[in-house]
Amino acid sequence: MEDLSSDEIPTEAKKSKTPRKRKEKESALKQKSPAEFFAENKNIAGFDNPGKCLYTTVRELVENSLDSAESISELPVVEITIEEIGKSKFNSMIGLVDRERVDEKLYDDYETAKAREKRLAKEARAHEIQAKNAALGKKVKEPQGTKVIKGRGEASFYRVTCKDNGRGMPHDDIPNMFGRVLSGTKYGLKQTRGKFGLGAKMALIWSKMSTGLPMEISSSMKGQSYISFCRLDIDIHRNIPHIHAHEKRDNKERWHGAEIQVVIEGNWTTYRSKILHYMRQMAVITPYAQFLFKFVSDASDKNVTIRFARRTDVMPPVPLETKHHPSSVDLLLIKRLITETSKQSLLQFLQHEFVNIGKSYAERLIGEMGPDFNPKMAVKSLTSQQIVRVHQLFRQAKFDDPSGDCLSPAGEYNLRLGIIKELHPDMVATYSGSAQVFEGHPFIVEAGVSVGGKDVKQGLNIFRFANRIPLLFEQGADVVTRTALKRINWNSYKINQTQDKIGVFVSIVSTKIPFKGTGKEYIGDDITEIASAVKSAIQQCCIQLKTKIVKKMQAREQQERKRNLSKYIPDATGAIYDVLKEMSQLHSSKKKRYDNEDTELLGKVSARLITKETLREKLAQHVEQVDYEMALEYATQSGVSEEPREAIFLQSLEADDCFIDLHNPIFVFRLFH
């Protein structure tokens, strides 16, 4: 056999080795932190584009503030400020010196001579057409301003600040509460506005991605003599906070609450209406809160300041944490509950870790599980097969529905006040349904329907709330919108769907809102229990309104009759007087004789004791009397007092006042000690 030269084999060997190394590198296992995952998929949490990021940041900070204040039964006072930051100011904040452009053609907003000539020609043609239309007397649209070409790099930056009077945060917990994704205080089976532990962290992640500037947090709890100040950003790859400063400062004013400040890229121009609409809807569903919204810009004409005043000091009860319903648990959850429980026996575990399982029912369940189970067996000794058996029985057994005692709906009282305060409608009806269940989770649907009002468009204006959060996006696929548009026959309730100004308000509260996606944008139309409850609540409001509308129509017809009668009084009195005068002349000439009563009347006409003016006055009095009697009957039926009513508002209470609120769907009774 011939020896191969050293130059021949190494080439093949090298070729065979190279792919092997590449394969090993490609198949290497990688892992992403939660922060890195959400940074790359920020649209999942509602951070789709700069404008939506600004809106979602405001929304998350406001909702956290409300939850914080309500958790200590403090009437919320929330201040939101959006400050526009120009390019030069932003550059100085990050220590970057402004630089003039050297090569204009390098930039994407550069306009070539040909493009400029084309644009000017187009503008000239538009002006020429407008001049012709004006000469012919046609309606001329106002000329649009010249569009300024904006480059991709010309971003807009905003400092968003949210200050509240809530619970505040423990000093040592602040870094993890803002700098670690999927960590929070709202996990558990409880009705809360937030659920995923994403909101403020996503604002920080977006800030890091768009500006690189850290978030600043000031916080103090009740009774603390210091304010915790923390400046931090987030280590995306390790999902841990990167702390720049964390210190305690004097709290001379004894303030409690939190103030969060973050600088982000945004777009106020396109999302201005959405943000203001969100604040207005929040004022509707939380009339016991006071909001102050400010937009601050270098251009004073762009500044906005809106105060949403508090209308009542009655707050909904604080929602309670509850236990899982047996029909809503899965295999993984049962295993976790077994790991975390402090109960020793299986009987105690079933009784205390789930709702609606009493001692006798728990014993019946254990007996049904088979001979391998007994009430006194250690729950932590259950094998995987035995846990599967427990889960199978939970899915097949019959359990009572959970009650809605753990939920905290806004209440008809607050919902009605909020609608009246913000919309000023001609009439409004509200309804609060009883607790219902889907997949083992209780939920309550409240609804309000208004007719007329300020700043309300013709047709259906739909306002959706979930756990007292306004939902502004993805309206078309939402269960409330589809129900209001397709399942309610508005004409049968004397409401014109296209011409009347109709406000439809639906609020759903639950320990688990079935949002479609983590953006919390809308509730799907695929859950039969929720869809039927929403339809029923809206219909109950419409039934109330129909009664009011029918009575209003009757009152309008009555006014029309009165106008018509009053209109013909002069003609009627003239005709009657002429007839009476002719009859009196015949009677006096003895051509025709009349009875005693008629003789007396005709004598008064002859003596001019009865004239046209007398008849006109008497007839007008009669019309007024009939109108008054009909109006009194209407007022009695509708429960309206004859005396004018005055609006009564509860005064703000001092902190040391002691009282108990007894809540009813329609009113709140306050008992002072």
Short mmCIF file of all heavy atoms in Angstrom, two decimals, residues 505-547:
data_model
loop_
_atom_site.label_atom_id
_atom_site.label_comp_id
_atom_site.label_asym_id
_atom_site.label_seq_id
_atom_site.Cartn_x
_atom_site.Cartn_y
_atom_site.Cartn_z
N PHE A 505 -72.35 51.26 30.14
CA PHE A 505 -71.26 51.03 31.07
C PHE A 505 -71.39 49.62 31.65
O PHE A 505 -72.45 49.29 32.22
CB PHE A 505 -71.30 52.04 32.22
CG PHE A 505 -71.27 53.48 31.77
CD1 PHE A 505 -72.42 54.11 31.30
CD2 PHE A 505 -70.10 54.21 31.81
CE1 PHE A 505 -72.40 55.42 30.88
CE2 PHE A 505 -70.07 55.53 31.39
CZ PHE A 505 -71.22 56.13 30.92
N VAL A 506 -70.37 48.81 31.51
CA VAL A 506 -70.40 47.46 32.07
C VAL A 506 -69.10 47.23 32.83
O VAL A 506 -68.01 47.41 32.29
CB VAL A 506 -70.58 46.37 30.98
CG1 VAL A 506 -70.50 44.99 31.60
CG2 VAL A 506 -71.92 46.55 30.27
N SER A 507 -69.24 46.85 34.10
CA SER A 507 -68.09 46.57 34.95
C SER A 507 -68.17 45.12 35.41
O SER A 507 -69.18 44.69 35.95
CB SER A 507 -68.09 47.51 36.16
OG SER A 507 -67.10 47.14 37.08
N ILE A 508 -67.09 44.37 35.17
CA ILE A 508 -67.01 42.97 35.59
C ILE A 508 -65.90 42.84 36.62
O ILE A 508 -64.78 43.31 36.39
CB ILE A 508 -66.73 42.05 34.39
CG1 ILE A 508 -67.81 42.21 33.31
CG2 ILE A 508 -66.63 40.59 34.82
CD1 ILE A 508 -67.51 41.50 32.01
N VAL A 509 -66.22 42.24 37.77
CA VAL A 509 -65.18 41.99 38.78
C VAL A 509 -65.14 40.49 39.07
O VAL A 509 -66.17 39.81 39.07
CB VAL A 509 -65.43 42.77 40.09
CG1 VAL A 509 -65.33 44.26 39.86
CG2 VAL A 509 -66.78 42.43 40.70
N SER A 510 -63.93 39.97 39.29
CA SER A 510 -63.77 38.54 39.54
C SER A 510 -62.38 38.29 40.12
O SER A 510 -61.49 39.13 40.03
CB SER A 510 -63.94 37.75 38.24
OG SER A 510 -63.72 36.37 38.45
N THR A 511 -62.22 37.11 40.71
CA THR A 511 -60.89 36.71 41.17
C THR A 511 -60.03 36.30 39.98
O THR A 511 -58.80 36.22 40.11
CB THR A 511 -61.00 35.52 42.15
OG1 THR A 511 -61.79 34.49 41.55
CG2 THR A 511 -61.64 35.95 43.46
N LYS A 512 -60.64 36.06 38.84
CA LYS A 512 -59.89 35.74 37.63
C LYS A 512 -60.65 36.29 36.43
O LYS A 512 -61.67 35.74 36.02
CB LYS A 512 -59.72 34.22 37.47
CG LYS A 512 -58.90 33.85 36.24
CD LYS A 512 -58.85 32.35 36.02
CE LYS A 512 -58.08 31.99 34.76
NZ LYS A 512 -58.08 30.55 34.48
N ILE A 513 -60.16 37.40 35.89
CA ILE A 513 -60.75 37.97 34.68
C ILE A 513 -60.14 37.26 33.47
O ILE A 513 -58.92 37.25 33.31
CB ILE A 513 -60.48 39.49 34.59
CG1 ILE A 513 -61.12 40.23 35.76
CG2 ILE A 513 -60.98 40.04 33.27
CD1 ILE A 513 -62.62 40.35 35.71
N PRO A 514 -60.98 36.66 32.62
CA PRO A 514 -60.43 35.91 31.47
C PRO A 514 -60.01 36.83 30.33
O PRO A 514 -60.59 36.82 29.24
CB PRO A 514 -61.59 35.00 31.07
CG PRO A 514 -62.82 35.76 31.48
CD PRO A 514 -62.44 36.55 32.70
N PHE A 515 -58.96 37.64 30.57
CA PHE A 515 -58.45 38.52 29.51
C PHE A 515 -57.89 37.69 28.36
O PHE A 515 -57.39 36.58 28.57
CB PHE A 515 -57.33 39.41 30.05
CG PHE A 515 -57.79 40.49 30.98
CD1 PHE A 515 -57.39 40.51 32.29
CD2 PHE A 515 -58.62 41.50 30.52
CE1 PHE A 515 -57.80 41.52 33.15
CE2 PHE A 515 -59.04 42.51 31.37
CZ PHE A 515 -58.63 42.51 32.69
N LYS A 516 -57.95 38.26 27.17
CA LYS A 516 -57.29 37.65 26.03
C LYS A 516 -55.91 38.29 25.90
O LYS A 516 -55.77 39.41 25.42
CB LYS A 516 -58.11 37.89 24.75
CG LYS A 516 -59.47 37.23 24.75
CD LYS A 516 -59.36 35.72 24.74
CE LYS A 516 -60.74 35.07 24.66
NZ LYS A 516 -60.67 33.62 24.74
N GLY A 517 -54.88 37.61 26.38
CA GLY A 517 -53.51 38.14 26.32
C GLY A 517 -53.15 38.89 27.58
O GLY A 517 -54.02 39.34 28.34
N THR A 518 -51.85 39.04 27.80
CA THR A 518 -51.38 39.69 29.02
C THR A 518 -51.54 41.21 28.97
O THR A 518 -51.32 41.88 29.98
CB THR A 518 -49.89 39.36 29.25
OG1 THR A 518 -49.17 39.68 28.06
CG2 THR A 518 -49.69 37.90 29.59
N GLY A 519 -51.89 41.77 27.81
CA GLY A 519 -52.09 43.20 27.71
C GLY A 519 -53.34 43.68 28.43
O GLY A 519 -53.55 44.88 28.55
N LYS A 520 -54.19 42.76 28.88
CA LYS A 520 -55.44 43.09 29.59
C LYS A 520 -56.28 44.07 28.77
O LYS A 520 -56.75 45.08 29.28
CB LYS A 520 -55.14 43.67 30.98
CG LYS A 520 -54.37 42.74 31.90
CD LYS A 520 -54.19 43.33 33.29
CE LYS A 520 -53.27 44.49 33.31
NZ LYS A 520 -52.95 44.99 34.66
N GLU A 521 -56.49 43.75 27.49
CA GLU A 521 -57.18 44.67 26.60
C GLU A 521 -58.68 44.39 26.50
O GLU A 521 -59.47 45.32 26.40
CB GLU A 521 -56.56 44.61 25.20
CG GLU A 521 -55.08 44.91 25.13
CD GLU A 521 -54.73 46.35 25.43
OE1 GLU A 521 -55.64 47.11 25.78
OE2 GLU A 521 -53.56 46.71 25.33
N TYR A 522 -59.07 43.12 26.48
CA TYR A 522 -60.50 42.82 26.31
C TYR A 522 -60.82 41.42 26.84
O TYR A 522 -59.94 40.58 27.03
CB TYR A 522 -60.91 42.93 24.84
CG TYR A 522 -60.43 41.81 23.95
CD1 TYR A 522 -61.31 40.80 23.55
CD2 TYR A 522 -59.12 41.75 23.49
CE1 TYR A 522 -60.88 39.76 22.72
CE2 TYR A 522 -58.68 40.74 22.67
CZ TYR A 522 -59.57 39.74 22.28
OH TYR A 522 -59.14 38.72 21.47
N ILE A 523 -62.12 41.21 27.09
CA ILE A 523 -62.63 39.93 27.57
C ILE A 523 -63.34 39.25 26.41
O ILE A 523 -64.20 39.85 25.77
CB ILE A 523 -63.61 40.13 28.75
CG1 ILE A 523 -62.89 40.83 29.90
CG2 ILE A 523 -64.19 38.80 29.22
CD1 ILE A 523 -63.80 41.31 31.00
N GLY A 524 -62.98 38.04 26.12
CA GLY A 524 -63.53 37.32 24.97
C GLY A 524 -65.02 37.04 25.09
O GLY A 524 -65.61 37.06 26.17
N ASP A 525 -65.61 36.78 23.93
CA ASP A 525 -67.06 36.53 23.85
C ASP A 525 -67.37 35.03 23.89
O ASP A 525 -68.46 34.62 23.53
CB ASP A 525 -67.58 37.14 22.54
CG ASP A 525 -69.09 37.26 22.54
OD1 ASP A 525 -69.67 37.39 23.62
OD2 ASP A 525 -69.68 37.19 21.45
N ASP A 526 -66.41 34.22 24.34
CA ASP A 526 -66.57 32.77 24.26
C ASP A 526 -66.98 32.12 25.58
O ASP A 526 -67.09 30.91 25.66
CB ASP A 526 -65.27 32.14 23.76
CG ASP A 526 -64.06 32.58 24.60
OD1 ASP A 526 -64.21 33.53 25.39
OD2 ASP A 526 -62.99 31.97 24.47
N ILE A 527 -67.19 32.91 26.63
CA ILE A 527 -67.61 32.36 27.92
C ILE A 527 -69.10 32.65 28.09
O ILE A 527 -69.53 33.79 28.29
CB ILE A 527 -66.80 32.95 29.08
CG1 ILE A 527 -65.32 32.62 28.90
CG2 ILE A 527 -67.29 32.43 30.43
CD1 ILE A 527 -64.38 33.31 29.86
N THR A 528 -69.90 31.60 28.00
CA THR A 528 -71.36 31.74 27.98
C THR A 528 -71.88 32.41 29.24
O THR A 528 -72.78 33.27 29.18
CB THR A 528 -72.02 30.35 27.83
OG1 THR A 528 -71.41 29.67 26.72
CG2 THR A 528 -73.51 30.48 27.58
N GLU A 529 -71.34 32.04 30.40
CA GLU A 529 -71.83 32.58 31.67
C GLU A 529 -71.67 34.10 31.72
O GLU A 529 -72.59 34.83 32.14
CB GLU A 529 -71.09 31.95 32.86
CG GLU A 529 -71.30 30.46 33.03
CD GLU A 529 -70.28 29.63 32.28
OE1 GLU A 529 -69.64 30.14 31.34
OE2 GLU A 529 -70.11 28.45 32.63
N ILE A 530 -70.51 34.59 31.27
CA ILE A 530 -70.26 36.04 31.32
C ILE A 530 -71.12 36.75 30.28
O ILE A 530 -71.72 37.80 30.55
CB ILE A 530 -68.77 36.33 31.09
CG1 ILE A 530 -67.95 35.85 32.29
CG2 ILE A 530 -68.53 37.82 30.87
CD1 ILE A 530 -66.46 36.08 32.19
N ALA A 531 -71.23 36.19 29.07
CA ALA A 531 -72.03 36.81 28.00
C ALA A 531 -73.49 36.95 28.42
O ALA A 531 -74.11 38.01 28.22
CB ALA A 531 -71.92 35.99 26.72
N SER A 532 -74.07 35.92 29.02
CA SER A 532 -75.48 35.98 29.44
C SER A 532 -75.67 36.95 30.59
O SER A 532 -76.68 37.66 30.66
CB SER A 532 -75.99 34.58 29.81
OG SER A 532 -75.24 34.06 30.89
N ALA A 533 -74.69 37.02 31.51
CA ALA A 533 -74.79 37.94 32.65
C ALA A 533 -74.71 39.39 32.17
O ALA A 533 -75.43 40.27 32.68
CB ALA A 533 -73.68 37.66 33.66
N VAL A 534 -73.85 39.67 31.19
CA VAL A 534 -73.73 41.02 30.63
C VAL A 534 -75.03 41.43 29.95
O VAL A 534 -75.54 42.54 30.14
CB VAL A 534 -72.54 41.09 29.64
CG1 VAL A 534 -72.59 42.39 28.83
CG2 VAL A 534 -71.22 40.98 30.39
N LYS A 535 -75.60 40.53 29.16
CA LYS A 535 -76.86 40.82 28.46
C LYS A 535 -77.98 41.11 29.46
O LYS A 535 -78.73 42.09 29.31
CB LYS A 535 -77.24 39.64 27.57
CG LYS A 535 -78.54 39.87 26.79
CD LYS A 535 -78.90 38.64 25.95
CE LYS A 535 -80.23 38.86 25.23
NZ LYS A 535 -80.64 37.66 24.46
N SER A 536 -78.08 40.28 30.49
CA SER A 536 -79.13 40.45 31.49
C SER A 536 -78.99 41.79 32.21
O SER A 536 -79.98 42.50 32.45
CB SER A 536 -79.08 39.30 32.50
OG SER A 536 -80.00 39.50 33.55
N ALA A 537 -77.75 42.19 32.56
CA ALA A 537 -77.53 43.44 33.29
C ALA A 537 -77.92 44.65 32.44
O ALA A 537 -78.56 45.59 32.93
CB ALA A 537 -76.07 43.53 33.73
N ILE A 538 -77.54 44.63 31.15
CA ILE A 538 -77.89 45.75 30.27
C ILE A 538 -79.41 45.82 30.09
O ILE A 538 -80.01 46.91 30.10
CB ILE A 538 -77.18 45.61 28.90
CG1 ILE A 538 -75.66 45.71 29.07
CG2 ILE A 538 -77.66 46.68 27.93
CD1 ILE A 538 -74.87 45.45 27.80
N GLN A 539 -80.05 44.66 29.94
CA GLN A 539 -81.51 44.64 29.77
C GLN A 539 -82.22 45.20 30.99
O GLN A 539 -83.23 45.91 30.86
CB GLN A 539 -81.97 43.21 29.49
CG GLN A 539 -81.69 42.73 28.07
CD GLN A 539 -82.10 41.29 27.84
OE1 GLN A 539 -82.06 40.48 28.78
NE2 GLN A 539 -82.45 40.96 26.62
N GLN A 540 -81.73 44.88 32.19
CA GLN A 540 -82.36 45.40 33.41
C GLN A 540 -82.28 46.93 33.45
O GLN A 540 -83.24 47.59 33.87
CB GLN A 540 -81.66 44.81 34.65
CG GLN A 540 -81.93 43.34 34.89
CD GLN A 540 -83.40 43.05 35.16
OE1 GLN A 540 -84.11 43.85 35.78
NE2 GLN A 540 -83.88 41.92 34.67
N CYS A 541 -81.18 47.48 32.99
CA CYS A 541 -81.05 48.95 32.92
C CYS A 541 -82.03 49.52 31.90
O CYS A 541 -82.67 50.56 32.13
CB CYS A 541 -79.63 49.34 32.55
SG CYS A 541 -78.39 48.94 33.79
N CYS A 542 -82.15 48.84 30.76
CA CYS A 542 -83.05 49.31 29.70
C CYS A 542 -84.51 49.29 30.15
O CYS A 542 -85.30 50.18 29.79
CB CYS A 542 -82.88 48.46 28.44
SG CYS A 542 -81.29 48.69 27.62
N ILE A 543 -84.89 48.28 30.93
CA ILE A 543 -86.27 48.20 31.45
C ILE A 543 -86.56 49.41 32.34
O ILE A 543 -87.64 50.02 32.26
CB ILE A 543 -86.47 46.87 32.22
CG1 ILE A 543 -86.47 45.70 31.24
CG2 ILE A 543 -87.76 46.91 33.02
CD1 ILE A 543 -86.38 44.34 31.91
N GLN A 544 -85.58 49.77 33.19
CA GLN A 544 -85.76 50.96 34.04
C GLN A 544 -85.90 52.22 33.19
O GLN A 544 -86.76 53.07 33.46
CB GLN A 544 -84.57 51.12 34.98
CG GLN A 544 -84.38 50.01 36.00
CD GLN A 544 -83.10 50.22 36.80
OE1 GLN A 544 -82.79 51.33 37.22
NE2 GLN A 544 -82.35 49.15 37.01
N LEU A 545 -85.05 52.32 32.16
CA LEU A 545 -85.10 53.52 31.31
C LEU A 545 -86.39 53.61 30.52
O LEU A 545 -86.92 54.70 30.30
CB LEU A 545 -83.91 53.52 30.35
CG LEU A 545 -82.55 53.92 30.92
CD1 LEU A 545 -81.49 53.86 29.84
CD2 LEU A 545 -82.59 55.31 31.53
N LYS A 546 -86.90 52.46 30.09
CA LYS A 546 -88.14 52.46 29.30
C LYS A 546 -89.27 53.11 30.08
O LYS A 546 -90.04 53.91 29.53
CB LYS A 546 -88.51 51.03 28.90
CG LYS A 546 -89.74 50.96 28.00
CD LYS A 546 -90.08 49.54 27.62
CE LYS A 546 -91.33 49.49 26.74
NZ LYS A 546 -91.70 48.11 26.36
N THR A 547 -89.37 52.78 31.37
CA THR A 547 -90.41 53.37 32.21
C THR A 547 -90.25 54.89 32.25
O THR A 547 -91.23 55.64 32.12
CB THR A 547 -90.31 52.80 33.65
OG1 THR A 547 -90.32 51.38 33.58
CG2 THR A 547 -91.47 53.27 34.50
#
